[in-house]
Amino acid sequence: MNRKTHSKKIYLPEERLPKAWYNIVADMPNKPLPPLHPATKKPVGPDDLAPLFPEALIMQEVTQERYVEIPAPVREIYKIWRPSPLIRAYELEKALDTPAKIYYKYEGVSPSGSHKPNTAVAQAFYNAEEGVKKITTETGAGQWGSALSYATQLFGIELQVFMVKVSYNQKPYRKTMMNIWKASVTPSPSGITDTGRKISAEDPGNPGSLGIAISEAVEMAVNDPSTKYSLGSVLNHVLLHQTVIGLEAKAQMEQVDAYPDVVIGCFGGGSNFAGISFPFVRDKIVGGKDIRIIAVEPDSCPKLTRGQFRYDFGDTIGMTPLIPMYTLGHGFMPPAIHAGGLRYHGAGAIVSQLLNDGFIEASAVPQLESFEAGMLFARTEGIIPAPESTHAVTQTIREALKAKAEGKEITILFNLSGHGHIDLGAYEQYLSNAIDNYSVTDEEIAENLKVLDQMGFPKIEKQK
Amino acid sequence: MNRKTHSKKIYLPEERLPKAWYNIVADMPNKPLPPLHPATKKPVGPDDLAPLFPEALIMQEVTQERYVEIPAPVREIYKIWRPSPLIRAYELEKALDTPAKIYYKYEGVSPSGSHKPNTAVAQAFYNAEEGVKKITTETGAGQWGSALSYATQLFGIELQVFMVKVSYNQKPYRKTMMNIWKASVTPSPSGITDTGRKISAEDPGNPGSLGIAISEAVEMAVNDPSTKYSLGSVLNHVLLHQTVIGLEAKAQMEQVDAYPDVVIGCFGGGSNFAGISFPFVRDKIVGGKDIRIIAVEPDSCPKLTRGQFRYDFGDTIGMTPLIPMYTLGHGFMPPAIHAGGLRYHGAGAIVSQLLNDGFIEASAVPQLESFEAGMLFARTEGIIPAPESTHAVTQTIREALKAKAEGKEITILFNLSGHGHIDLGAYEQYLSNAIDNYSVTDEEIAENLKVLDQMGFPKIEKQK
């Protein structure tokens, strides 16, 4: 199929926007293991989550139903940017001189410029339905905070964002974006929670961390019955909402009689990867499709490729239940790569189970290669990718060049999860040869995992 | 027609991308007057432009043909982002509680985030066709420089951008974007031209100006036969290329059985306004349509509403031919508003003639009202507009509220010429109450126009 015979951009009509999200748990041969209480090591139930999340989201967290209806008001808001375009990367294919056909789903068209609003709008809706007046959350680089700001103001919900202090100072544009959408943004550690005040008192120069910001957001939510907390990745209900990406992509590929041999997404907590891939994982599990599904992580935060599958805390300082995850240890501190959204020590329960069961595979890419890929993409396809998304581009280029070497006409689909307009400072550093490749030693990983042994956090064996 | 019956986003299939640009000169009852030589006051001919522009563009500058074919390679590149979406502003309509139907054409989907690549790609193509190896240009805030960077690298043409020094230091992200697309960017005044060296020697702290940057770019082009110069607005061929916007918009509105009563575009040099409006001005001139067409300028740079129609220099320091334009005088220094693309003392020859002949009208908007409009738009439609584009949003809101007061179900079309992702610093200042409304006194305008009397630059009378 060549340029003359079909369009570069493939649009799905708004009336074909999916009416339900896809819940992969229904089709998994081995269901995700339950979270455990850190002290008792007993399963944590829905009731334990009630102080943090509205009931509807807790039910979605544990549901076994295959499809969960997207509420009509959420679908109406989705139509502001969805269905997002599927784009044939003709220009990239040409530059690589590859026989591979490359398609990408572009989520940068959303208000905040990434896939994050897909779940932010859904979460804001369910909170509003249950009368929640205020939500708290944490944000690192600011992608999640800005998406949730956009969503909460639509429903008249107040939002308090705890933004890691070092990012707050480095990325003023993200804070501005959150303010435009009416959120209050406080550098963390802050002066408005006990946690923040205690840490600031002990260490006045503390630059903050995602772990501290989570603690502050959770503290504020727990102390006020009309306030809930919201998370932008990792959890089952977040992954569920993101499947709208893959469902649309599948319908769009059908429109041009295409189907992927390889599906690729970058990997942080797992929500964008799950979004693009789960509907295709279903085809593999249920339909026996011969298809490779690749999660791409940074070389410097290699939980999927070099971590262990075992129970660990979801956060750095140990406030969450124990989650069954591929992990580098909750104490692992990823190097300061620019792909802030991929700097997370673990993977969600569902994705970890799928990796353990061999339905998906993982790959790790070094930072410099990811920026080279981002540059080539900007020069050919015209879109400057977010540093996170360049990881998916990198793996796509690797697969396309492999197909060229082998003379195979494969079809690749990847998710371009966001644009890099707010990340141009990172590209400037790359262009000035001022960024590092970063790597992580086996010793460093082993040391952090040893702590889990000492704490008695169970390892999980390969199942059948 | 309500939300249930048609889509929010109206896409035109790629095969319906216009095959020709529309040249309004063919339909103007009074043709635009010719540019004059500043000393002799005799018309300047195509030959005088040969050192600066390739022949094809000079021919487009003077052509009387109604349609000019878009070359196939340009159309193929356009498809990377074109046809751009036409969007029904349901959310804004609801917030204003107006009976008006509001549609906007969104040009922020282009690689550099504005309408500028529509002409940049065409100009790069014609230069490449004629063997040009290098192009020079100037840029203020950076929108034009980044668009031309994207375009020239596609054709293997080297680009030298002279960026006004104060903007170079204030807007590092725009420079990075140009570097990603392989351009050399030099703060102006620079050390690489005689003009730049002379100015720097006399005044080492000179912050630069668009006038100086133009002089440097022109000097470099004139001194090398394989180098040409490129301009991003004002000239006839630039306006011609932008008409792809309005041609698409018209076809898209036809798809939903709509036609505008009012067409609105913000106004700097005139290219984005011409782009959205000229195909509709044709309907007014040729078809006698009863339709209002409004150019929106900043209150602080009011050439259309408070300037004079007369011959003046196109640049600040007097290097260009005399152009028949609505002008505040080439010595007028617009206040430092954030809408950098609208800080120009004059209007192009075609638009000026159309205003003089009553086919279009003009409106001026204060800076604070424009940011208020931008905020409302971001909160409802989810897109943060460029500061320039907020001027079109402002006028749209004014018209929609007038329609509400009068109970009229009018249809409004405006051009959202770009996104504000690189301009969040301006929004931050607005949110901090740190921006000024700015105004310009009649005395200041009169003083600058008096200089034109002294120089003997002819006034142009109203024609029939």
Side-chain angles (χ1 to χ4, degrees):
Chain A
M1 199 171 287
N2 72 31
R3 181 63 170 271
K4 305 294 169 214
T5 60
H6 88 67
S7 294
K8 179 165 179 67
K9 304 179 295 302
I10 300 144
Y11 294 109
L12 196 68
E14 283 173 21
E15 63 268 24
R16 292 198 55 204
L17 200 153
K19 295 197 165 53
W21 296 296
Y22 166 59
N23 177 26
I24 199 168
V25 173
D27 290 317
M28 290 169 73
N30 297 315
K31 304 299 177 197
L33 297 169
L36 301 181
H37 191 282
T40 65
K41 308 285 191 297
K42 294 252 166 71
V44 166
D47 289 353
D48 297 295
L49 300 171
L52 292 180
F53 303 109
E55 197 187 335
L57 292 177
I58 296 173
M59 289 301 107
Q60 290 183 358
E61 191 62 21
V62 297
T63 183
Q64 307 267 328
E65 291 296 317
R66 182 164 290 112
Y67 291 99
V68 176
E69 193 190 338
I70 305 176
V74 173
R75 285 183 86 234
E76 284 308 300
I77 295 168
Y78 274 178
K79 287 178 188 170
I80 291 176
W81 72 97
R82 304 209 71 84
S84 67
L86 179 77
I87 305 176
R88 173 79 183 268
Y90 286 114
E91 283 68 23
L92 179 62
E93 291 172 20
K94 201 172 139 196
L96 297 173
D97 189 25
T98 175
K101 298 182 185 71
I102 304 173
Y103 293 86
Y104 60 98
K105 184 77 170 158
Y106 184 38
E107 292 291 308
V109 294
S110 83
S112 61
S114 81
H115 63 294
K116 295 286 185 191
N118 297 331
T119 184
V121 169
Q123 292 191 41
F125 168 79
Y126 290 115
N127 274 285
E129 283 284 286
E130 295 183 27
V132 173
K133 300 283 178 243
K134 182 174 173 180
I135 292 179
T136 65
T137 199
E138 73 286 339
T139 199
Q143 273 288 11
W144 170 242
S146 51
L148 193 60
S149 302
Y150 166 71
T152 47
Q153 59 101 25
L154 291 176
F155 291 97
I157 296 175
E158 197 185 328
L159 179 66
Q160 174 64 52
V161 180
F162 293 90
M163 186 172 186
V164 177
K165 193 181 270 176
V166 58
S167 298
Y168 181 92
N169 293 326
Q170 277 171 357
K171 311 217 175 206
Y173 276 16
R174 277 285 168 203
K175 176 193 150 289
T176 302
M177 204 180 250
M178 293 184 255
N179 290 153
I180 287 174
W181 287 317
K182 301 187 181 175
S184 300
V185 187
T186 310
S188 165
S190 78
I192 59 174
T193 67
D194 287 344
T195 307
R197 280 186 294 264
K198 186 159 169 278
I199 290 170
S200 296
E202 286 167 5
D203 175 13
N206 191 302
S209 72
L210 219 39
I212 296 170
I214 293 175
S215 310
E216 293 204 81
V218 167
E219 178 191 320
M220 186 174 269
V222 168
N223 286 340
D224 179 352
S226 72
T227 298
K228 296 285 180 189
Y229 165 74
S230 171
L231 199 65
S233 190
V234 180
L235 297 181
N236 299 356
H237 68 273
V238 180
L239 274 54
L240 173 76
H241 301 153
Q242 293 294 356
T243 58
V244 68
I245 302 172
L247 292 167
E248 285 178 8
K250 211 167 156 183
Q252 286 163 310
M253 293 195 82
E254 273 165 23
Q255 280 186 190
V256 293
D257 288 322
Y259 189 87
D261 300 294
V262 185
V263 178
I264 296 169
C266 63
F267 197 93
S271 78
N272 122 75
F273 170 75
I276 189 75
S277 72
F278 280 4
F280 296 97
V281 178
R282 170 170 159 80
D283 290 353
K284 195 167 179 173
I285 297 178
V286 178
K289 280 269 188 193
D290 179 21
I291 171 176
R292 292 175 59 212
I293 293 164
I294 312 175
V296 191
E297 61 189 6
D299 229 9
S300 55
C301 191
K303 62 239 182 188
L304 298 177
T305 52
R306 294 164 69 194
Q308 280 180 358
F309 189 28
R310 64 190 300 169
Y311 276 97
D312 194 6
F313 286 124
D315 66 326
T316 310
I317 53 175
M319 294 199 42
T320 71
L322 296 181
I323 299 172
M325 45 162 55
Y326 273 86
T327 181
L328 296 163
H330 60 274
F332 178 81
M333 181 62 68
I337 56 168
H338 287 288
L342 308 185
R343 295 179 67 233
Y344 182 64
H345 69 278
I350 294 177
V351 173
S352 294
Q353 189 64 49
L354 291 170
L355 180 63
N356 205 43
D357 291 348
F359 291 115
I360 65 172
E361 57 189 285
S363 169
V365 296
Q367 174 156 267
L368 283 173
E369 188 181 350
S370 79
F371 273 99
E372 275 157 32
M375 295 287 290
L376 179 63
F377 197 81
R379 288 171 177 180
T380 52
E381 294 295 313
I383 299 171
I384 300 172
E388 290 82 1
S389 315
T390 62
H391 289 70
V393 178
T394 306
Q395 187 67 28
T396 298
I397 293 173
R398 286 181 179 182
E399 298 295 333
L401 292 177
K402 192 168 139 241
K404 179 183 175 180
E406 295 171 354
K408 284 189 186 161
E409 288 192 21
I410 63 166
T411 297
I412 303 171
L413 166 67
F414 77 92
N415 195 32
L416 190 71
S417 54
H419 65 65
H421 301 162
I422 319 288
D423 308 286
L424 284 166
Y427 278 90
E428 181 56 37
Q429 288 193 29
Y430 170 76
L431 288 164
S432 316
N433 295 312
I435 68 170
D436 201 303
N437 227 352
Y438 291 118
S439 60
V440 174
T441 64
D442 290 338
E443 290 68 31
E444 192 179 343
I445 295 172
E447 227 168 81
N448 279 287
L449 291 173
K450 204 167 68 183
V451 176
L452 308 190
D453 291 336
Q454 291 161 350
M455 293 175 108
F457 291 179
K459 285 186 194 174
I460 303 164
E461 298 305 318
K462 198 156 181 94
Q463 293 145 283
K464 291 235 165 146
Chain B
M1 200 171 288
N2 73 31
R3 181 63 171 270
K4 304 293 168 216
T5 60
H6 89 69
S7 294
K8 178 163 179 70
K9 304 178 295 301
I10 300 145
Y11 293 110
L12 196 67
E14 283 175 21
E15 63 268 21
R16 291 198 56 203
L17 200 152
K19 294 196 165 52
W21 296 296
Y22 166 59
N23 177 26
I24 200 170
V25 174
D27 291 316
M28 291 169 72
N30 296 315
K31 304 300 176 195
L33 297 167
L36 301 181
H37 191 282
T40 65
K41 309 285 191 298
K42 295 254 166 68
V44 166
D47 289 352
D48 297 295
L49 299 172
L52 292 179
F53 303 108
E55 197 188 335
L57 292 177
I58 295 173
M59 289 301 107
Q60 289 183 0
E61 191 63 21
V62 297
T63 184
Q64 306 267 326
E65 291 296 317
R66 182 164 290 113
Y67 291 99
V68 175
E69 193 190 338
I70 305 176
V74 173
R75 285 184 85 234
E76 284 308 301
I77 295 168
Y78 274 179
K79 288 178 187 169
I80 291 177
W81 72 96
R82 307 209 70 83
S84 66
L86 180 78
I87 304 176
R88 174 78 183 267
Y90 287 114
E91 282 70 22
L92 179 62
E93 290 172 20
K94 200 173 139 195
L96 297 172
D97 187 26
T98 175
K101 298 182 186 70
I102 302 173
Y103 293 86
Y104 59 100
K105 184 76 169 157
Y106 184 38
E107 292 292 308
V109 294
S110 83
S112 61
S114 81
H115 64 295
K116 294 287 184 189
N118 297 331
T119 184
V121 169
Q123 292 191 42
F125 167 79
Y126 290 115
N127 274 284
E129 282 285 285
E130 297 183 24
V132 173
K133 300 283 177 240
K134 182 175 172 179
I135 293 179
T136 65
T137 199
E138 74 285 339
T139 199
Q143 273 288 10
W144 169 241
S146 52
L148 193 59
S149 303
Y150 166 72
T152 48
Q153 59 101 25
L154 291 176
F155 292 97
I157 296 175
E158 197 184 329
L159 178 66
Q160 174 64 52
V161 180
F162 292 91
M163 187 172 185
V164 176
K165 192 180 272 176
V166 57
S167 297
Y168 181 92
N169 293 326
Q170 276 171 357
K171 310 217 176 206
Y173 276 16
R174 276 285 169 204
K175 177 192 150 290
T176 302
M177 204 182 251
M178 292 185 256
N179 290 153
I180 287 174
W181 287 317
K182 301 187 181 176
S184 299
V185 186
T186 310
S188 165
S190 78
I192 60 174
T193 67
D194 287 344
T195 308
R197 280 187 293 264
K198 186 158 170 279
I199 291 170
S200 295
E202 286 168 5
D203 175 12
N206 190 301
S209 72
L210 218 40
I212 295 169
I214 293 176
S215 309
E216 292 205 82
V218 166
E219 179 192 319
M220 185 173 271
V222 168
N223 286 340
D224 178 353
S226 71
T227 299
K228 296 285 180 190
Y229 166 75
S230 171
L231 200 66
S233 190
V234 181
L235 297 181
N236 299 355
H237 68 273
V238 180
L239 274 53
L240 173 75
H241 301 153
Q242 294 293 356
T243 57
V244 68
I245 302 172
L247 292 167
E248 285 178 9
K250 211 166 154 183
Q252 286 163 311
M253 293 196 80
E254 273 165 22
Q255 278 185 192
V256 293
D257 288 322
Y259 190 87
D261 299 293
V262 185
V263 178
I264 295 169
C266 63
F267 197 91
S271 78
N272 122 74
F273 170 74
I276 189 76
S277 72
F278 280 6
F280 296 97
V281 178
R282 170 171 159 78
D283 290 353
K284 194 167 180 174
I285 298 178
V286 178
K289 280 270 188 192
D290 181 20
I291 170 175
R292 291 175 61 212
I293 293 164
I294 311 175
V296 190
E297 61 188 7
D299 228 9
S300 55
C301 191
K303 62 241 182 188
L304 298 176
T305 50
R306 293 162 70 193
Q308 280 179 358
F309 189 28
R310 63 190 299 170
Y311 276 95
D312 194 4
F313 287 124
D315 65 326
T316 310
I317 54 175
M319 294 200 42
T320 71
L322 296 180
I323 298 173
M325 46 162 54
Y326 273 85
T327 181
L328 296 163
H330 60 274
F332 179 81
M333 181 60 71
I337 55 169
H338 287 287
L342 308 185
R343 294 180 66 233
Y344 182 66
H345 69 277
I350 295 175
V351 173
S352 294
Q353 189 64 48
L354 291 170
L355 180 62
N356 205 42
D357 291 348
F359 290 115
I360 64 173
E361 58 189 281
S363 169
V365 172
Q367 175 156 266
L368 283 173
E369 188 182 350
S370 79
F371 273 99
E372 274 158 34
M375 294 286 291
L376 179 63
F377 197 79
R379 289 172 176 179
T380 51
E381 294 296 312
I383 299 171
I384 300 171
E388 290 82 0
S389 314
T390 60
H391 289 71
V393 178
T394 307
Q395 188 66 29
T396 298
I397 293 172
R398 288 181 178 181
E399 298 294 333
L401 292 177
K402 193 168 137 238
K404 180 183 174 179
E406 295 171 353
K408 283 188 186 162
E409 287 192 21
I410 63 165
T411 297
I412 303 171
L413 167 67
F414 78 92
N415 196 31
L416 191 70
S417 55
H419 65 64
H421 301 163
I422 319 288
D423 307 287
L424 285 166
Y427 279 91
E428 181 57 37
Q429 287 193 29
Y430 170 76
L431 289 163
S432 315
N433 295 312
I435 68 170
D436 201 303
N437 228 351
Y438 291 119
S439 60
V440 174
T441 64
D442 289 338
E443 290 68 31
E444 192 179 342
I445 295 172
E447 228 167 79
N448 279 286
L449 290 172
K450 204 167 69 184
V451 176
L452 307 190
D453 291 336
Q454 291 161 350
M455 294 175 107
F457 290 177
K459 284 187 192 173
I460 303 164
E461 298 304 319
K462 201 155 179 93
Q463 293 144 284
K464 291 232 165 143

